[in-house]
Amino acid sequence: MKSNSFVLQMFRLLLLFILPMSSFAQQKPGDLKIWFSRPAANWNEALPVGNGTLGAMVFGGIASERLQLNESSVWTGKPEDFVNPQSKAALPEVRKLLFEGKYAEAQKLAQSAMMGDKKTNSSYQTLGDLHIDFSLPEGEVSGYTRDLDLETAVSKVTYQVEDVTFTREVFSSFPANALIIRLTASKAASLSLALKLSRPGNKAKLEASGNELMMSEHVGDGTGVKMVTRVKVLNEGGSLQAAGTSIKVDKANTVVLLLTAATDYRGTNPSVVSANLISLSEGKSFETLKSDHIADYQKYFKRVELDLGTTDAVYFPTDSRITAVQNGNSDPALIKLYYQFGRYLLISSSRPGGLPANLQGIWADGLTPPWSADYHININIQMNYWPSEITNLSEMHMPLLGFLNELKPDAKKTAKDMYGLKGTVAHFTTDPWHFTETYGQTQWAMWPMGMAWSVQHLWEHYLFTEDRKYLKELAYPLMKDAATFCEQWLVEDPHTGLLVSGPSISPENTFKTKSGAIATMVMGPTMDHMIIRDLLTNTIAAAKVLKRDYSFSRRLQGILKRLSPTKLGKDGRIMEWTEEFEEPEPGHRHISHLFGLYPGKQISYQQNPELLQAARKTLDYRISHGGGHTGWSRAWIINFFARLRDGEAAYQNLSALLQKSTLPNLFDNHPPFQIDGNFGAVAGITEMLMQSHAGEIELLPALPAVWQKGCIHGIVARGGFEINIDWQEGKLWYATITSRLGNPCTLRYDDKVITFPTEKGKSYSFNGSLQSAD
């Protein structure tokens, strides 16, 4: 077997024959750019820009550009109540059947009496497309590059035709709440083009007047939001003319396009809002708009630095680098690029005041994206936000936390109407209309833990920030409501006398009964109990911080003592259900019964080491049978191995994610594209280098041998600590801990642990032996 360096050199020589030399040396080592030497052949090669709500995919065509557009509130559907009226009465009988082992009968009853009838389809949709058709001079095209600069959040397309260089710059500005495009040419009077808007379905109203295009539609055939998109065309030199539904520009020197979009989702007039946004930007120069955008973006992005080393691969286009990795080459700088791309995506798809990132962030093509690009709350939306706190993007967590508060009214109603219980409940998915009822097949739908899992994020945000006002006003009330539901939901197992959850499932998985039938529901799935244990423990801790609800906390403590524990099977694996059922799909993509390992903290080296071996057996078994075959599942596995402190296995799965589940533009491939894998992998890489879930900050807990030298600066630990870590020859070299809150700090590296007091705002430095280096 040839060495990686030999294969890389051969690969490079091959590319030298295929690509012009100008394609190389476009970037220098260390550049955080995703770049290509050709236009996008399809959506999975286009480059995303976004400001949290308004997004675009840049294709970079030469004679014609397509910008596929999105606005985060462009949804079909409407608020709807579809609780099955028979559910409350059926609940005791379903439980009785499950306790008796009559799984098929219980499932049949639950399917008919507990699943709701959701009549109104709701789906995220594309905003539409902006098309730019160019009249280019005759001649050969050369020097083409298309890139996305993660340092500036600006996408750029450059190419030359004869002696004229054409340049396109595209970015989505949060300060301006607008998509900004500048078209330039190196020779005066060289820009001639036609612009138009379009939307699939041909139901949008298209208008062109003066120097403005407008597109409007009441989406979903009137069952959804009303949307408006405007494009203002500002040309320097040449002439401009509106004709029909397009605008033509002839022989201009420079053209700047200002694109805004709005809907009535929040009750505002989208026509007025989009027009006002245009007027706020059109008086500003392009350079001012760009500098404002970059300054706003960089105050978040620049917080974290990662360096894992560099090879010659950095001189190649991104798609070629992915191909090389698929052929076995090591490219540590590609992992750095992938990591910072994930942080870029979170900044670009989740900003305070907006909706949370959906299954595709904000970037989805067409009118029927996969799974409606909805808010799956049986892992997917949670995974979207795993990197938010630890990678120093706490503000980007807020759209999810606020969204949970908006779910509360319907979650209370569902708990009461569906189960006859107090508190809040949600199931496997929801949408911007905030439904919490369940519908569909019991295999994925009979799972009432969506809210219980989601509110973990409320407590996590507090652990990183210790914002007591937030805890009192937002987080604790929601946590208490979810815990109240679980308190009443749990029932005594007549066989054990312990409390169990049910009817419920282990998300989307099935098992074989003794009779050979395939079933889904049980009383007491392991994941439910792990989630409930996490929720009740966190709620008790939050009440203690706020010095309230003492009797409620005592009741929760009593429940924790009676809650059915995590059990091991005969082979030492953690049991997924209450019995050791045969698994029809032993390589299932969900590994739900390891929730307590990650994102929970019930299984840890520091606090519960006896379960670590069982967790490892569980994980190895699932992977050996094909687990991790979807992008997001592989990302979850990286986090599992990081928590198991196995850097080699974590790195192997990170490599597998890049090799098998990453698209040319670095989007995660489920398949198809699903953004949670991007976010989950960023969390996993961070967990490999620092963990803080077990009451201490552990440095380099899962450092793989291949990362011999590197650094990560600016990541954040629970308790309010900002962490800089440098390592050499695979060992800790230097670490700096900055205390944001003045809490005592417990620091671990390998088997050495130190505890020291801190002062708010002060930094503390240590060498590789955890000796003070101040």
Side-chain angles (χ1 to χ4, degrees):
M1 182 175 178
K2 295 181 173 63
S3 68
N4 283 349
S5 61
F6 176 83
V7 175
L8 181 60
Q9 291 301 321
M10 294 300 100
F11 182 68
R12 186 175 185 182
L13 287 172
L14 175 63
L15 286 178
L16 285 171
F17 287 102
I18 298 173
L19 299 174
M21 192 59 201
S22 61
S23 297
F24 306 108
Q26 293 287 344
Q27 322 298 328
K28 63 181 183 296
D31 273 349
L32 282 173
K33 288 185 179 179
I34 302 170
W35 69 282
F36 300 84
S37 56
R38 54 182 176 78
N42 54 58
W43 195 90
N44 292 328
E45 295 181 356
L47 293 170
V49 296
N51 67 359
T53 56
L54 181 61
M57 296 291 287
V58 182
F59 283 70
I62 294 171
S64 62
E65 172 67 277
R66 175 196 177 197
L67 295 174
Q68 186 267 312
L69 309 169
N70 286 104
E71 202 280 343
S72 63
S73 61
V74 176
W75 278 80
T76 66
K78 62 180 181 179
E80 183 182 12
D81 182 2
F82 52 92
V83 167
N84 192 318
Q86 304 175 67
S87 179
K88 195 188 307 182
L91 178 61
E93 181 61 21
V94 172
R95 285 173 166 168
K96 179 176 179 292
L97 290 169
L98 290 174
F99 279 132
E100 293 172 352
K102 298 177 180 178
Y103 302 105
E105 294 92 330
Q107 184 171 323
K108 184 178 179 180
L109 178 58
Q111 186 66 54
S112 64
M114 302 187 78
M115 297 300 101
D117 182 14
K118 190 174 187 296
K119 298 182 184 300
T120 304
N121 178 60
S122 60
S123 179
Y124 187 53
Q125 292 190 338
T126 182
L127 180 66
D129 295 286
L130 173 63
H131 304 273
I132 311 172
D133 295 319
F134 298 93
S135 297
L136 297 173
E138 296 291 331
E140 292 290 323
V141 177
S142 62
Y144 180 94
T145 59
R146 173 173 57 98
D147 68 46
L148 171 61
D149 187 345
L150 302 183
E151 295 269 9
T152 61
V154 176
S155 180
K156 191 174 181 180
V157 178
T158 304
Y159 56 89
Q160 188 171 330
V161 182
E162 292 300 311
D163 61 341
V164 183
T165 299
F166 294 91
T167 303
R168 257 171 259 162
E169 294 172 88
V170 183
F171 58 89
S172 187
S173 168
F174 181 82
N177 199 3
L179 186 73
I180 316 291
I181 303 109
R182 181 171 68 171
L183 312 171
T184 59
S186 63
K187 187 177 180 180
S190 294
L191 282 173
S192 296
L193 51 97
L195 302 109
K196 64 179 180 179
L197 290 165
S198 68
R199 191 165 193 269
N202 299 316
K203 296 179 180 178
K205 181 181 180 182
L206 304 175
E207 303 171 72
S209 178
N211 66 340
E212 187 170 293
L213 298 170
M214 189 169 82
M215 177 171 65
S216 58
E217 184 177 343
H218 193 168
V219 305
D221 292 322
T223 305
V225 301
K226 295 177 181 177
M227 49 150 276
V228 173
T229 307
R230 295 177 186 270
V231 180
K232 179 79 78 171
V233 184
L234 306 174
N235 60 302
E236 290 183 12
S239 62
L240 179 149
Q241 181 181 5
T245 58
S246 67
I247 290 177
K248 294 183 178 180
V249 178
D250 189 46
K251 296 182 180 179
N253 303 323
T254 301
V255 176
V256 173
L257 309 177
L258 308 177
L259 186 150
T260 64
T263 76
D264 64 350
Y265 176 72
R266 299 287 186 189
T268 54
N269 185 320
S271 181
V272 172
V273 171
S274 59
N276 288 343
L277 290 172
I278 288 279
S279 65
L280 290 174
S281 294
E282 64 180 320
K284 298 179 180 179
S285 70
F286 174 81
E287 291 303 333
T288 297
L289 291 167
K290 184 178 176 181
S291 62
D292 288 349
H293 155 72
I294 292 173
D296 169 77
Y297 168 75
Q298 288 188 342
K299 71 184 179 185
Y300 303 112
F301 183 78
K302 288 284 193 180
R303 292 173 180 174
V304 171
E305 175 190 355
L306 175 67
D307 185 3
L308 300 172
T310 302
T311 68
D312 285 348
V314 296
Y315 291 102
F316 292 86
T318 305
D319 53 343
S320 300
R321 294 170 71 180
I322 293 173
T323 300
V325 167
Q326 290 170 345
N327 289 325
N329 291 285
S330 175
D331 187 351
L334 182 63
I335 294 174
K336 167 187 173 177
L337 186 68
Y338 185 88
Y339 182 88
Q340 294 289 28
F341 180 55
R343 295 183 67 249
Y344 165 85
L345 291 175
L346 187 57
I347 298 168
S348 302
S349 64
S350 182
R351 286 290 194 107
L355 285 164
N358 62 45
L359 274 178
Q360 294 193 217
I362 56 172
W363 301 277
D365 197 9
L367 303 181
T368 56
W371 299 282
S372 303
D374 63 9
Y375 297 123
H376 263 62
I377 51 177
N378 66 359
I379 186 171
N380 308 101
I381 198 171
Q382 291 93 337
M383 185 178 283
N384 282 2
Y385 288 90
W386 286 351
S388 57
E389 301 291 342
I390 54 176
T391 73
N392 217 334
L393 296 175
S394 184
E395 298 92 336
M396 311 312 157
H397 208 171
M398 296 312 296
L400 172 63
L401 308 184
F403 182 74
L404 296 179
N405 193 47
E406 293 177 341
L407 287 180
K408 183 175 178 176
D410 196 70
K412 278 183 171 290
K413 187 176 187 302
T414 299
K416 180 182 177 182
D417 294 352
M418 187 170 176
Y419 300 114
L421 302 177
K422 296 180 180 179
T424 55
V425 67
H427 295 82
F428 72 103
T429 193
T430 185
D431 65 10
W433 313 112
H434 307 120
F435 76 85
T436 54
E437 307 93 320
T438 193
Y439 70 102
Q441 298 299 310
T442 56
Q443 180 176 344
W444 62 81
M446 192 57 248
W447 186 73
M449 291 290 115
M451 181 65 83
W453 183 348
S454 296
V455 298
Q456 181 194 60
H457 285 256
L458 294 159
W459 179 240
E460 285 291 303
H461 181 70
Y462 173 77
L463 291 178
F464 282 87
T465 64
E466 295 193 5
D467 182 342
R468 294 198 180 201
K469 184 175 185 290
Y470 149 85
L471 183 66
K472 179 182 178 181
E473 295 178 0
L474 177 65
Y476 180 71
L478 289 168
M479 294 167 66
K480 183 181 178 181
D481 281 339
T484 296
F485 174 82
C486 291
E487 176 190 16
Q488 298 178 43
W489 170 253
L490 293 166
V491 294
E492 185 176 299
D493 185 334
H495 306 295
T496 66
L498 298 172
L499 296 176
V500 294
S501 168
S504 190
I505 61 170
S506 192
E508 303 188 22
N509 206 355
T510 59
F511 58 89
K512 280 187 180 181
T513 67
K514 293 177 182 178
S515 66
I518 304 298
T520 63
M521 296 190 313
V522 294
M523 294 299 297
T526 297
M527 187 195 211
D528 278 24
H529 297 160
M530 288 178 166
I531 290 172
I532 292 169
R533 190 172 290 109
D534 183 85
L535 168 62
L536 301 192
T537 301
N538 295 344
T539 304
I540 292 167
K544 185 176 180 181
V545 170
L546 297 174
K547 299 179 180 179
R548 59 187 297 181
D549 292 331
Y550 299 108
S551 60
F552 180 62
S553 292
R554 283 195 295 272
R555 292 203 309 272
L556 298 187
Q557 288 167 350
I559 289 171
L560 286 172
K561 291 176 182 177
R562 295 189 60 206
L563 186 62
S564 184
T566 299
K567 295 186 289 186
L568 306 186
K570 293 175 183 176
D571 60 1
R573 288 187 290 138
I574 292 173
M575 290 170 54
E576 189 163 0
W577 297 278
T578 47
E579 297 180 47
E580 289 191 79
F581 295 113
E582 183 182 346
E583 302 168 67
E585 193 181 347
H588 196 269
R589 61 195 176 279
H590 286 258
I591 314 177
S592 303
H593 45 318
L594 291 187
F595 174 93
L597 179 63
Y598 189 93
K601 55 188 177 183
Q602 296 158 37
I603 304 172
S604 71
Y605 171 82
Q606 295 89 341
Q607 297 174 352
N608 206 347
E610 68 275 9
L611 285 177
L612 280 179
Q613 186 177 1
R616 179 60 188 254
K617 286 184 176 180
T618 305
L619 188 55
D620 287 345
Y621 181 87
R622 188 59 60 93
I623 293 173
S624 70
H625 288 82
H629 54 278
T630 65
W632 67 263
S633 180
R634 183 73 67 180
W636 197 4
I637 288 170
I638 298 168
N639 287 275
F640 286 145
F641 278 120
R643 287 283 175 93
L644 289 169
R645 306 167 95 221
D646 188 338
E648 302 312 311
Y651 178 75
Q652 288 169 12
N653 282 276
L654 175 58
S655 298
L657 182 73
L658 291 171
Q659 292 166 348
K660 301 176 182 179
S661 301
T662 299
L663 294 164
N665 62 1
L666 295 187
F667 270 162
D668 172 72
N669 196 15
H670 177 281
F673 162 56
Q674 220 174 265
I675 204 167
D676 42 16
N678 287 100
F679 294 138
V682 170
I685 293 167
T686 313
E687 290 276 335
M688 292 168 72
L689 301 175
M690 187 275 294
Q691 296 175 18
S692 65
H693 60 287
E696 59 188 27
I697 299 169
E698 184 170 9
L699 307 178
L700 306 181
L703 183 70
V706 70
W707 295 346
Q708 279 291 294
K709 181 180 179 181
C711 72
I712 188 164
H713 294 169
I715 53 177
V716 183
R718 293 164 183 84
F721 299 99
E722 190 168 311
I723 314 296
N724 293 351
I725 308 170
D726 293 76
W727 65 92
Q728 293 184 1
E729 297 180 355
K731 301 289 184 182
L732 176 67
W733 179 61
Y734 197 79
T736 300
I737 316 298
T738 300
S739 178
R740 294 177 169 180
L741 303 171
N743 286 323
C745 180
T746 298
L747 193 63
R748 173 188 289 271
Y749 175 63
D750 280 344
D751 293 328
K752 184 162 186 180
V753 182
I754 62 170
T755 299
F756 56 96
T758 73
E759 294 179 25
K760 183 177 180 180
K762 188 174 179 180
S763 297
Y764 304 83
S765 298
F766 301 90
N767 63 20
S769 300
L770 295 191
Q771 295 172 332
S772 177
D774 290 326

